[in-house]
Amino acid sequence: MQLTIVYLLSLLSILQTPAAYSLVIFNPNRNYSYQAFFVSPSGDTLTREQITLQPNGQPWKY
């Protein structure tokens, strides 16, 4: 029952999102920085990377 309520609430929030805003994923005026770690099954950190995304305001073709 609770799972159904959560599902319906999330569905309603998606349906109420204006279509114009749904196409804007990354703001072209910002830089997005992420840290990526690759960890082995034994728990050792194998690599640590900084990833910076600089959007240009155009949608990506997939």
Side-chain angles (χ1 to χ4, degrees):
M1 179 68 175
Q2 290 177 344
L3 182 59
T4 304
I5 292 172
V6 170
Y7 176 74
L8 289 174
L9 288 175
S10 62
L11 182 61
L12 286 174
S13 67
I14 291 171
L15 292 176
Q16 291 179 353
T17 304
Y21 295 120
S22 66
L23 298 177
V24 177
I25 298 175
F26 293 109
N27 184 341
N29 299 321
R30 298 181 81 183
N31 289 337
Y32 298 88
S33 296
Y34 300 94
Q35 290 185 350
F37 298 92
F38 182 66
V39 180
S40 71
S42 64
D44 295 330
T45 301
L46 301 176
T47 62
R48 184 184 310 201
E49 301 290 332
Q50 177 87 17
I51 300 170
T52 303
L53 179 64
Q54 296 176 332
N56 63 4
Q58 300 296 317
W60 297 335
K61 295 182 181 180
Y62 52 89

Coordinates of all heavy atoms in Angstrom, one line a residue:
M1 N 0.8 -1.2 0.0 CA 0.0 0.0 0.0 C 0.9 1.3 0.0 O 0.6 2.2 -0.7 CB -0.9 0.0 1.2 CG -1.8 1.2 1.4 SD -3.0 1.2 0.0 CE -4.0 2.6 0.5
Q2 N 1.9 1.3 0.9 CA 2.8 2.5 0.9 C 3.6 2.6 -0.4 O 3.8 3.7 -0.8 CB 3.7 2.3 2.1 CG 3.0 2.5 3.4 CD 4.0 2.3 4.6 OE1 5.1 1.8 4.4 NE2 3.6 2.7 5.8
L3 N 3.9 1.5 -1.0 CA 4.7 1.6 -2.2 C 3.8 2.1 -3.3 O 4.3 2.9 -4.1 CB 5.2 0.2 -2.6 CG 6.0 0.1 -3.9 CD1 7.3 0.9 -3.7 CD2 6.4 -1.4 -4.1
T4 N 2.5 1.8 -3.3 CA 1.6 2.4 -4.3 C 1.5 3.9 -4.1 O 1.4 4.6 -5.1 CB 0.2 1.7 -4.2 OG1 0.4 0.3 -4.3 CG2 -0.7 2.2 -5.2
I5 N 1.4 4.3 -2.9 CA 1.2 5.8 -2.7 C 2.5 6.5 -3.1 O 2.4 7.6 -3.8 CB 1.0 6.0 -1.2 CG1 -0.4 5.5 -0.8 CG2 1.1 7.5 -0.8 CD1 -0.7 5.5 0.7
V6 N 3.7 6.0 -2.8 CA 4.9 6.6 -3.2 C 5.0 6.6 -4.8 O 5.4 7.6 -5.4 CB 6.1 5.8 -2.7 CG1 7.4 6.3 -3.3 CG2 6.2 6.0 -1.1
Y7 N 4.6 5.6 -5.4 CA 4.6 5.5 -6.9 C 3.7 6.5 -7.5 O 4.0 7.3 -8.4 CB 4.2 4.1 -7.3 CG 4.1 4.0 -8.8 CD1 5.2 3.9 -9.6 CD2 2.8 3.9 -9.4 CE1 5.1 3.9 -11.0 CE2 2.7 3.8 -10.8 CZ 3.9 3.8 -11.6 OH 3.8 3.7 -12.9
L8 N 2.5 6.7 -6.9 CA 1.5 7.7 -7.4 C 2.0 9.1 -7.2 O 1.8 9.9 -8.1 CB 0.1 7.4 -6.8 CG -0.6 6.2 -7.2 CD1 -1.9 6.0 -6.4 CD2 -0.9 6.2 -8.7
L9 N 2.6 9.4 -6.1 CA 3.1 10.7 -5.8 C 4.2 11.1 -6.8 O 4.3 12.2 -7.3 CB 3.6 10.8 -4.4 CG 2.4 10.9 -3.3 CD1 3.0 10.9 -1.9 CD2 1.5 12.1 -3.5
S10 N 5.1 10.1 -7.0 CA 6.2 10.4 -7.9 C 5.7 10.6 -9.4 O 6.2 11.4 -10.1 CB 7.3 9.3 -7.9 OG 6.7 8.1 -8.3
L11 N 4.7 9.8 -9.7 CA 4.1 9.9 -11.1 C 3.4 11.3 -11.2 O 3.6 12.0 -12.2 CB 3.1 8.8 -11.3 CG 2.4 8.8 -12.7 CD1 3.4 8.6 -13.8 CD2 1.4 7.7 -12.7
L12 N 2.7 11.8 -10.2 CA 2.1 13.1 -10.2 C 3.1 14.2 -10.3 O 2.9 15.2 -11.1 CB 1.2 13.3 -9.0 CG -0.1 12.5 -9.0 CD1 -0.8 12.7 -7.7 CD2 -1.0 12.9 -10.2
S13 N 4.2 14.1 -9.6 CA 5.3 15.1 -9.7 C 5.9 15.2 -11.1 O 6.3 16.2 -11.6 CB 6.3 14.9 -8.6 OG 7.1 13.7 -8.9
I14 N 6.0 14.0 -11.7 CA 6.6 14.0 -13.1 C 5.6 14.6 -14.1 O 6.0 15.4 -15.0 CB 6.9 12.6 -13.5 CG1 8.1 12.1 -12.7 CG2 7.2 12.5 -15.0 CD1 8.4 10.6 -12.9
L15 N 4.3 14.3 -13.9 CA 3.3 14.9 -14.9 C 3.1 16.4 -14.7 O 2.7 17.0 -15.6 CB 2.0 14.1 -14.6 CG 2.0 12.7 -15.1 CD1 0.7 12.0 -14.7 CD2 2.3 12.5 -16.5
Q16 N 3.4 16.9 -13.5 CA 3.2 18.4 -13.3 C 4.4 19.2 -13.7 O 4.4 20.4 -13.7 CB 2.9 18.6 -11.8 CG 1.6 18.1 -11.4 CD 1.3 18.3 -10.0 OE1 2.2 18.8 -9.2 NE2 0.1 18.0 -9.5
T17 N 5.5 18.5 -14.2 CA 6.7 19.3 -14.6 C 6.4 19.9 -15.9 O 6.0 19.2 -16.9 CB 7.9 18.3 -14.7 OG1 8.1 17.7 -13.5 CG2 9.2 19.1 -15.1
P18 N 6.6 21.2 -16.1 CA 6.4 21.9 -17.4 C 7.4 21.3 -18.4 O 8.5 21.0 -18.2 CB 6.8 23.3 -17.1 CG 6.7 23.5 -15.6 CD 7.0 22.1 -15.1
A19 N 6.9 21.1 -19.7 CA 7.6 20.5 -20.7 C 8.9 21.3 -21.1 O 9.9 20.8 -21.4 CB 6.8 20.4 -22.0
A20 N 8.8 22.7 -21.0 CA 10.0 23.5 -21.3 C 11.1 23.2 -20.4 O 12.3 23.3 -20.8 CB 9.6 25.0 -21.2
Y21 N 10.9 23.0 -19.1 CA 12.0 22.7 -18.2 C 12.5 21.3 -18.3 O 13.6 21.0 -17.9 CB 11.5 23.0 -16.7 CG 11.1 24.4 -16.5 CD1 9.9 24.8 -16.1 CD2 12.1 25.4 -16.6 CE1 9.6 26.1 -15.9 CE2 11.8 26.7 -16.4 CZ 10.5 27.1 -16.0 OH 10.2 28.4 -15.8
S22 N 11.8 20.4 -18.8 CA 12.2 19.0 -18.9 C 13.4 18.8 -19.9 O 14.1 17.9 -19.8 CB 11.1 18.1 -19.3 OG 10.7 18.4 -20.6
L23 N 13.6 19.8 -20.8 CA 14.7 19.7 -21.8 C 16.0 20.3 -21.3 O 17.0 20.1 -21.8 CB 14.3 20.4 -23.1 CG 13.1 19.7 -23.8 CD1 12.7 20.5 -25.1 CD2 13.4 18.3 -24.2
V24 N 15.9 21.1 -20.2 CA 17.1 21.7 -19.6 C 17.6 20.8 -18.6 O 17.1 20.6 -17.5 CB 16.8 23.1 -19.0 CG1 18.0 23.7 -18.4 CG2 16.2 24.0 -20.1
I25 N 18.8 20.2 -18.9 CA 19.4 19.2 -18.0 C 20.5 19.9 -17.3 O 20.6 19.8 -16.0 CB 19.8 17.9 -18.7 CG1 18.6 17.3 -19.3 CG2 20.5 17.0 -17.8 CD1 18.8 16.1 -20.1
F26 N 21.4 20.5 -18.0 CA 22.6 21.2 -17.5 C 22.5 22.6 -17.8 O 22.3 23.0 -19.0 CB 23.9 20.6 -18.0 CG 24.1 19.1 -17.5 CD1 24.0 18.1 -18.4 CD2 24.4 18.9 -16.2 CE1 24.2 16.8 -17.9 CE2 24.6 17.6 -15.7 CZ 24.5 16.6 -16.6
N27 N 22.7 23.5 -16.9 CA 22.8 24.9 -17.1 C 24.1 25.3 -17.8 O 25.2 25.0 -17.3 CB 22.7 25.6 -15.7 CG 22.6 27.1 -15.8 OD1 23.0 27.7 -16.8 ND2 22.2 27.8 -14.8
P28 N 24.0 25.9 -18.9 CA 25.3 26.3 -19.7 C 26.2 27.3 -19.0 O 27.3 27.5 -19.3 CB 24.8 26.8 -21.0 CG 23.4 27.2 -20.8 CD 22.8 26.4 -19.7
N29 N 25.6 27.9 -17.9 CA 26.4 28.9 -17.2 C 27.2 28.4 -16.0 O 27.7 29.1 -15.2 CB 25.5 30.1 -16.8 CG 24.9 30.8 -18.0 OD1 25.5 31.0 -19.0 ND2 23.6 31.1 -17.8
R30 N 27.1 27.1 -15.8 CA 27.8 26.4 -14.7 C 28.7 25.3 -15.1 O 28.6 24.8 -16.2 CB 26.7 25.8 -13.8 CG 25.7 26.8 -13.2 CD 24.7 26.2 -12.3 NE 25.4 26.0 -11.0 CZ 24.8 25.4 -10.0 NH1 23.6 24.9 -10.1 NH2 25.4 25.3 -8.9
N31 N 29.7 25.0 -14.3 CA 30.6 23.9 -14.5 C 30.2 22.9 -13.4 O 29.9 23.2 -12.2 CB 32.0 24.3 -14.3 CG 32.5 25.1 -15.4 OD1 32.0 25.0 -16.5 ND2 33.6 25.8 -15.2
Y32 N 30.1 21.6 -13.8 CA 29.7 20.5 -12.9 C 31.0 19.7 -12.6 O 31.6 19.1 -13.6 CB 28.6 19.7 -13.5 CG 27.3 20.5 -13.7 CD1 27.1 21.2 -14.9 CD2 26.4 20.6 -12.7 CE1 26.0 22.0 -15.0 CE2 25.2 21.4 -12.9 CZ 25.0 22.0 -14.0 OH 23.9 22.8 -14.2
S33 N 31.3 19.5 -11.4 CA 32.5 18.7 -11.0 C 32.1 17.5 -10.3 O 31.2 17.6 -9.3 CB 33.5 19.6 -10.2 OG 34.0 20.6 -10.9
Y34 N 32.7 16.4 -10.6 CA 32.3 15.1 -10.0 C 33.6 14.4 -9.6 O 34.7 14.6 -10.3 CB 31.6 14.2 -10.9 CG 30.3 14.8 -11.4 CD1 30.2 15.5 -12.6 CD2 29.1 14.6 -10.6 CE1 29.0 16.0 -13.0 CE2 27.9 15.2 -11.1 CZ 27.9 15.9 -12.2 OH 26.7 16.4 -12.7
Q35 N 33.6 13.6 -8.5 CA 34.7 12.8 -8.2 C 34.3 11.4 -8.4 O 33.3 10.9 -8.1 CB 35.1 13.0 -6.7 CG 35.6 14.3 -6.3 CD 36.1 14.4 -4.9 OE1 35.7 13.5 -4.1 NE2 36.8 15.4 -4.5
A36 N 35.2 10.7 -9.1 CA 35.0 9.3 -9.5 C 36.0 8.4 -8.9 O 37.2 8.7 -8.9 CB 35.0 9.1 -11.0
F37 N 35.6 7.3 -8.2 CA 36.5 6.4 -7.6 C 36.2 5.0 -8.2 O 35.1 4.6 -8.4 CB 36.3 6.3 -6.1 CG 36.5 7.6 -5.4 CD1 35.5 8.5 -5.2 CD2 37.8 7.9 -4.9 CE1 35.7 9.7 -4.5 CE2 38.0 9.1 -4.2 CZ 37.0 10.0 -4.0
F38 N 37.3 4.2 -8.5 CA 37.2 2.9 -8.8 C 37.8 2.0 -7.7 O 38.9 2.2 -7.4 CB 37.9 2.6 -10.2 CG 37.8 1.2 -10.6 CD1 36.5 0.7 -11.0 CD2 38.9 0.3 -10.7 CE1 36.4 -0.7 -11.4 CE2 38.7 -1.0 -11.1 CZ 37.5 -1.5 -11.5
V39 N 36.9 1.2 -7.1 CA 37.3 0.5 -5.9 C 37.3 -1.0 -6.2 O 36.3 -1.5 -6.8 CB 36.4 0.8 -4.7 CG1 36.7 0.1 -3.5 CG2 36.4 2.3 -4.4
S40 N 38.3 -1.7 -5.8 CA 38.3 -3.1 -6.1 C 37.4 -3.9 -5.1 O 37.0 -3.3 -4.1 CB 39.8 -3.6 -5.9 OG 40.1 -3.6 -4.5
P41 N 37.1 -5.1 -5.4 CA 36.2 -5.9 -4.5 C 36.8 -6.0 -3.1 O 36.0 -6.2 -2.2 CB 36.0 -7.2 -5.2 CG 36.3 -6.9 -6.7 CD 37.3 -5.8 -6.7
S42 N 38.1 -5.9 -3.0 CA 38.7 -6.1 -1.7 C 38.6 -4.8 -0.9 O 39.0 -4.7 0.3 CB 40.1 -6.5 -1.8 OG 40.9 -5.6 -2.5
G43 N 38.2 -3.7 -1.5 CA 38.0 -2.4 -0.8 C 39.2 -1.4 -1.1 O 39.2 -0.3 -0.6
D44 N 40.2 -1.8 -1.9 CA 41.3 -0.9 -2.2 C 40.8 0.1 -3.3 O 40.2 -0.2 -4.3 CB 42.5 -1.6 -2.7 CG 43.1 -2.6 -1.7 OD1 43.0 -2.2 -0.5 OD2 43.6 -3.6 -2.0
T45 N 41.2 1.4 -3.1 CA 40.9 2.4 -4.1 C 41.9 2.3 -5.2 O 43.1 2.5 -5.0 CB 40.9 3.8 -3.5 OG1 39.9 3.9 -2.5 CG2 40.6 4.9 -4.5
L46 N 41.5 2.0 -6.4 CA 42.4 1.8 -7.5 C 42.7 3.1 -8.3 O 43.8 3.3 -8.7 CB 41.9 0.7 -8.5 CG 41.7 -0.7 -7.9 CD1 41.1 -1.6 -8.9 CD2 43.0 -1.2 -7.3
T47 N 41.7 3.9 -8.5 CA 41.8 5.2 -9.2 C 40.9 6.2 -8.5 O 39.9 5.9 -7.9 CB 41.5 5.1 -10.7 OG1 40.1 4.8 -10.8 CG2 42.3 4.1 -11.4
R48 N 41.3 7.5 -8.6 CA 40.6 8.6 -8.1 C 40.7 9.7 -9.1 O 41.8 10.1 -9.4 CB 41.1 9.0 -6.8 CG 40.3 10.1 -6.1 CD 41.0 10.6 -4.8 NE 41.3 9.5 -4.0 CZ 41.5 9.5 -2.7 NH1 41.4 10.7 -2.1 NH2 41.8 8.5 -2.0
E49 N 39.6 10.1 -9.7 CA 39.6 11.1 -10.8 C 38.6 12.2 -10.5 O 37.6 12.1 -9.8 CB 39.1 10.4 -12.1 CG 39.9 9.3 -12.5 CD 41.3 9.7 -13.0 OE1 41.4 10.8 -13.5 OE2 42.2 8.8 -12.9
Q50 N 39.0 13.4 -11.0 CA 38.1 14.6 -11.0 C 37.5 14.8 -12.4 O 38.3 14.9 -13.3 CB 38.9 15.8 -10.6 CG 38.1 17.1 -10.6 CD 37.4 17.3 -9.3 OE1 37.7 16.7 -8.3 NE2 36.4 18.2 -9.3
I51 N 36.2 14.8 -12.5 CA 35.6 14.9 -13.8 C 34.8 16.3 -13.8 O 34.0 16.5 -13.0 CB 34.6 13.8 -14.1 CG1 35.3 12.4 -14.1 CG2 33.9 14.0 -15.4 CD1 34.5 11.2 -14.1
T52 N 35.1 17.1 -14.8 CA 34.5 18.4 -14.9 C 33.7 18.4 -16.2 O 34.2 18.1 -17.3 CB 35.5 19.5 -15.0 OG1 36.3 19.5 -13.8 CG2 34.8 20.9 -15.0
L53 N 32.4 18.8 -16.1 CA 31.5 18.9 -17.3 C 31.2 20.3 -17.5 O 30.8 21.1 -16.6 CB 30.2 18.1 -17.0 CG 29.2 18.1 -18.0 CD1 29.7 17.4 -19.3 CD2 27.9 17.4 -17.5
Q54 N 31.5 20.8 -18.7 CA 31.2 22.2 -19.1 C 30.1 22.1 -20.3 O 30.5 22.0 -21.4 CB 32.4 22.9 -19.6 CG 33.5 23.0 -18.5 CD 34.8 23.6 -19.1 OE1 35.1 23.5 -20.2 NE2 35.5 24.3 -18.2
P55 N 28.8 22.3 -19.9 CA 27.8 22.2 -21.0 C 27.8 23.4 -21.9 O 28.3 24.5 -21.5 CB 26.5 22.1 -20.2 CG 26.8 22.5 -18.8 CD 28.3 22.4 -18.6
N56 N 27.4 23.2 -23.1 CA 27.4 24.3 -24.1 C 25.9 24.8 -24.4 O 25.7 25.7 -25.2 CB 28.0 23.9 -25.4 CG 27.3 22.8 -26.1 OD1 26.3 22.3 -25.6 ND2 27.9 22.3 -27.2
G57 N 24.9 24.3 -23.7 CA 23.6 24.7 -23.8 C 22.8 24.0 -24.9 O 21.7 24.3 -25.2
Q58 N 23.5 23.1 -25.6 CA 22.8 22.3 -26.7 C 22.5 20.9 -26.2 O 23.3 20.3 -25.5 CB 23.7 22.3 -27.9 CG 24.1 23.6 -28.5 CD 22.9 24.4 -29.0 OE1 22.0 23.8 -29.7 NE2 22.8 25.7 -28.7
P59 N 21.4 20.3 -26.6 CA 21.1 19.0 -26.3 C 22.1 18.0 -26.9 O 22.6 18.3 -28.0 CB 19.7 18.7 -26.8 CG 19.2 20.0 -27.4 CD 20.3 21.0 -27.4
W60 N 22.3 16.9 -26.2 CA 23.2 15.8 -26.8 C 22.4 15.0 -27.7 O 21.2 14.6 -27.5 CB 23.8 15.0 -25.7 CG 24.6 15.8 -24.7 CD1 25.3 16.9 -25.0 CD2 24.9 15.4 -23.4 NE1 26.0 17.3 -23.9 CE2 25.8 16.4 -22.9 CE3 24.5 14.4 -22.6 CZ2 26.3 16.4 -21.6 CZ3 25.0 14.4 -21.3 CH2 25.9 15.4 -20.8
K61 N 23.0 14.6 -28.8 CA 22.4 13.6 -29.7 C 22.7 12.2 -29.2 O 23.9 11.9 -28.9 CB 22.9 13.8 -31.1 CG 22.4 15.1 -31.7 CD 22.9 15.2 -33.1 CE 22.5 16.6 -33.7 NZ 22.9 16.8 -35.1
Y62 N 21.8 11.3 -29.1 CA 22.0 10.0 -28.6 C 21.5 9.0 -29.6 O 20.8 9.2 -30.5 CB 21.4 9.7 -27.3 CG 19.9 10.1 -27.2 CD1 19.0 9.1 -27.5 CD2 19.5 11.3 -26.8 CE1 17.6 9.5 -27.4 CE2 18.2 11.7 -26.7 CZ 17.3 10.7 -27.0 OH 15.9 11.0 -26.9

